[in-house]
Amino acid sequence: MPNLVLLHGALGHSEIFNPYLDDLSSYFTIHTPLFSGHGNSELPSDGINIEKYTQELAEYCTENNLTDVHILGHSMGGYTALCYAMKHPENVHSIMTLGTKFDWTEEQALKESKMLNPDAILEKIPHYAQTLEKQHGSKWKQLLPAIADLMIDLGKNPPLKNNLSAINIPVQIMVGDKDNMVTIDESTTVYRELPNAKLAVLPETKHPMDKVRPNLLLNLIKDFWNLS
């Protein structure tokens, strides 16, 4: 069976894909790697950035002999997937991104990163703090500033900027109409810059993966990959 790699977003976890595994495993061999610093994987002492995560994906595919892979990436996972396709086009068959932010500027990154304050999250959104601790253990407080640094680095040096036209594989860009982090406009801009792309706007859909209706996303997945 063809290989499908499911990539979680920043501060996410591969378990977000659990509602889809039974259906998708009928068509694919499923891979759910964790980016470093997430789940039970160590946070690198020299920090993280999108290049490091792209390299981790490349190493995972090499170690598991994965070529001609299909990738579904949520949020930062989608950005990483496209960076990987840009560097290793021969290894990627097609990509679906969901809720991926493309319009990174320094100003935007600083604004987003300021929301990643562990003390503020503990005080204002305690249930989210509990989720982060459950998924990433006690190091979640170190993971937040590391992700903030990743965002700021993306704002200064967005690797996909002006490079999308080089990605020739089939790509479907997906965004929720209620996503408060990613705009339909930026998703449309990227869709137009990619030579072989489709665009899907999911109705009544917010940014977090657990707010996406599985049946809605599964139908889009089956349509894109011609699964019956």
Side-chain angles (χ1 to χ4, degrees):
M1 283 200 286
N3 291 294
L4 173 62
V5 181
L6 303 174
L7 297 177
H8 65 82
L11 303 175
H13 194 285
S14 53
E15 68 186 23
I16 60 166
F17 297 110
N18 285 354
Y20 304 88
L21 297 183
D22 281 351
D23 274 284
L24 293 178
S25 58
S26 303
Y27 308 98
F28 297 104
T29 301
I30 308 279
H31 300 264
T32 53
L34 279 166
F35 290 113
S36 59
H38 294 75
N40 56 6
S41 62
E42 291 297 311
L43 189 62
S45 56
D46 58 345
I48 50 179
N49 55 42
I50 210 75
E51 284 80 10
K52 185 186 282 274
Y53 280 168
T54 305
Q55 182 58 31
E56 287 179 12
L57 176 56
E59 288 168 2
Y60 181 88
C61 289
T62 300
E63 286 164 12
N64 291 278
N65 297 317
L66 303 185
T67 56
D68 203 33
V69 294
H70 303 274
I71 305 176
L72 168 62
H74 176 245
S75 196
M76 181 200 71
Y79 201 100
T80 306
L82 288 169
C83 288
Y84 178 65
M86 190 171 70
K87 290 189 170 182
H88 304 279
E90 71 286 352
N91 279 359
V92 186
H93 190 282
S94 58
I95 291 173
M96 297 184 86
T97 73
L98 173 61
T100 294
K101 178 148 202 69
F102 296 104
D103 185 22
W104 286 104
T105 62
E106 287 192 61
E107 183 187 15
Q108 174 76 35
L110 276 169
K111 182 180 151 198
E112 295 285 348
S113 68
K114 280 176 184 166
M115 294 154 72
L116 299 181
N117 180 308
D119 296 331
I121 287 175
L122 270 169
E123 183 187 339
K124 294 177 182 170
I125 345 174
H127 65 279
Y128 184 46
Q130 287 174 347
T131 299
L132 289 171
E133 181 153 19
K134 179 170 161 283
Q135 290 183 335
H136 312 298
S138 58
K139 71 171 182 305
W140 74 270
K141 290 183 179 179
Q142 288 81 50
L143 180 58
L144 284 168
I147 292 295
D149 288 345
L150 177 148
M151 287 178 168
I152 291 165
D153 185 60
L154 256 180
K156 290 177 180 171
N157 307 294
L160 290 179
K161 194 171 183 182
N162 302 322
N163 288 316
L164 290 164
S165 61
I167 301 173
N168 285 305
I169 57 164
V171 177
Q172 179 151 302
I173 304 292
M174 300 181 290
V175 62
D177 62 351
K178 300 279 194 295
D179 194 318
N180 60 5
M181 185 176 174
V182 184
T183 66
I184 294 174
D185 282 350
E186 72 189 271
S187 303
T188 304
T189 299
V190 167
Y191 148 71
R192 288 190 173 134
E193 285 181 25
L194 288 161
N196 188 4
K198 298 178 180 181
L199 175 70
V201 179
L202 282 66
E204 291 292 319
T205 301
K206 297 179 180 177
H207 184 77
M209 189 73 185
D210 60 1
K211 303 291 187 204
V212 179
R213 282 168 285 155
N215 281 351
L216 180 62
L217 181 53
L218 271 169
N219 284 334
L220 287 164
I221 289 170
K222 288 179 177 179
D223 177 73
F224 180 66
W225 280 315
N226 295 316
L227 312 175
S228 53

